[in-house]
Amino acid sequence: MSYSELPLTRYAMSGDISVAYQTMGDGPIDIIAIPGSISHVEFLHEVSGYTAFLQRLSKFARVITFDKRGQGLSDRISGAPTLEERMDDVRAVLDSVGAQRAALLGFSEGCAMSAMFAASYPERVSHLALFGAFVRYRDLFTDADPEVVAQEQMKNWGTGALMKGVISSRASDPDAVAKFAKFERLSASPGAMKATQLLNFQIDVGHILLAVRVPTLVLHRTADALVPVRLGRDFAARIPGAKYVEYPGVDHAFWSGDVEALLGDIEEFITGHRETVSADLERILATVLFTDIVDSTRRAAEMGDQNWRDCWTVTISWHARWSKDTVVT
C-alpha cells in the first residue's frame, strides 16, 4: 500500500493522555488488536506481512490498532503504565470509534491485558483471541534478576536484537534487522523500555483467568522463539472452555510466517464461518471452476455445499502448490 492508502492515525483521550489509533475496514464486527511490549501504529506498516494480515481481517471486520500510552505515537509518560491504566486506553479507543463491543486480538504481553479487560468488562468483549500468551512474564526468564534483564535489554535497545525472538525466521536478514531496529527506536526510548520491562515482571494473571467468561481462542506456534509453547498451553488451560490451537513455526509475531491457517481460525472463531481466502487462491479458484464443470451440479447436490466446498479446497490447494503462477483457461 502507498502512504496515501494507509489508514489515518487519530487520537482518543484516556484521561489527559492522547492514545494514537488507526482503523481499517468497515465490517459489521469490531476487532481491536492489543499490542505487545512495543508498538508504532504507523511504522509497523513497513514491517513485512503486518499490513497484509490486517487487510485480511478487514475483509470481515473493522480492525482497530493502537499504541499504548508511553509508546509509538501515543503520549509519552513518566515511568511505566500499570495494566489498569493500559486497560483504560482500550476503553478510550473503543469509545472514540463508537464500538460498544469488540473482539480482542491480544498479542504477547497484550494477552494478559486482554484477559484482564475481558474479566473486568465482559459486556464490552464479544470474543477473546490471544496469540503468544503467557501467564507470568517472569516465566520467560527463569531465575533471572529483573534488573539485570532490563539493563541488558536497555543496552541493546535500538539495534534490532529483539528480532531474534519476535521474528526469528528473518533474524539473519540485515535489511529486516535494520528495519526492526528502527521500529524499536520509534516505539520507545531505552529508559522508557527499561521501566516498562521492570513493570512487566509484575505481570501474573493466573488469578484472573478463571474469571474470564467470554469465548476464548488461544493460539501459539510450537517453536516460538520468545515465548515457549508450554506457556501458551498453560494459559489456555486456565481459562474455562478456552479453545487452544498450535501452528508450526518459530516466529512470535502473529503476522510473520505461514498465516493462512491462523487467519482462517480467527475468522471462523469470531464469525462462525471461514469464507475469506487469499487473493491467489481466489484467482486459482476462478480459473479451475471454468475447466472442470462436467457433472458438477449433480455432484454438488449429492455431496452438499460444505463437502463440495471442502473437496474443491483440497483440489485447489494441490493446484496452487503444483504451479502457483499457472493460469488454466
Side-chain angles (χ1 to χ4, degrees), residues 124-161:
R124 303 211 65 173
V125 181
S126 63
H127 299 79
L128 201 56
L130 308 172
F131 188 88
F134 52 83
V135 175
R136 300 196 320 156
Y137 187 75
R138 183 178 294 274
D139 292 337
L140 275 65
F141 310 92
T142 307
D143 299 325
D145 184 294
E147 186 67 37
V148 173
V149 172
Q151 190 64 39
E152 186 67 19
Q153 290 180 339
M154 182 180 179
K155 182 175 67 176
N156 294 314
W157 192 247
T159 67

Side-chain angles (χ1 to χ4, degrees), residues 146-204:
E147 186 67 37
V148 173
V149 172
Q151 190 64 39
E152 186 67 19
Q153 290 180 339
M154 182 180 179
K155 182 175 67 176
N156 294 314
W157 192 247
T159 67
L162 191 61
M163 188 169 178
K164 294 177 182 178
V166 179
I167 312 179
S168 182
S169 65
R170 301 196 64 195
S172 60
D173 180 346
D175 291 336
V177 173
K179 184 170 289 186
F180 201 87
K182 185 176 181 179
F183 172 49
E184 291 177 0
R185 295 191 297 270
L186 291 175
S187 296
S189 67
M193 193 58 202
K194 179 184 178 182
T196 297
Q197 291 296 72
L198 288 173
L199 190 65
N200 283 347
F201 270 95
Q202 299 178 27
I203 293 176
D204 184 348

Side-chain angles (χ1 to χ4, degrees), residues 59 275-287 316:
K59 290 184 178 181
E275 293 187 357
T276 308
V277 293
S278 67
D280 284 343
L281 197 58
E282 289 175 335
R283 178 178 62 83
I284 295 169
L285 174 63
T287 57
I316 293 161

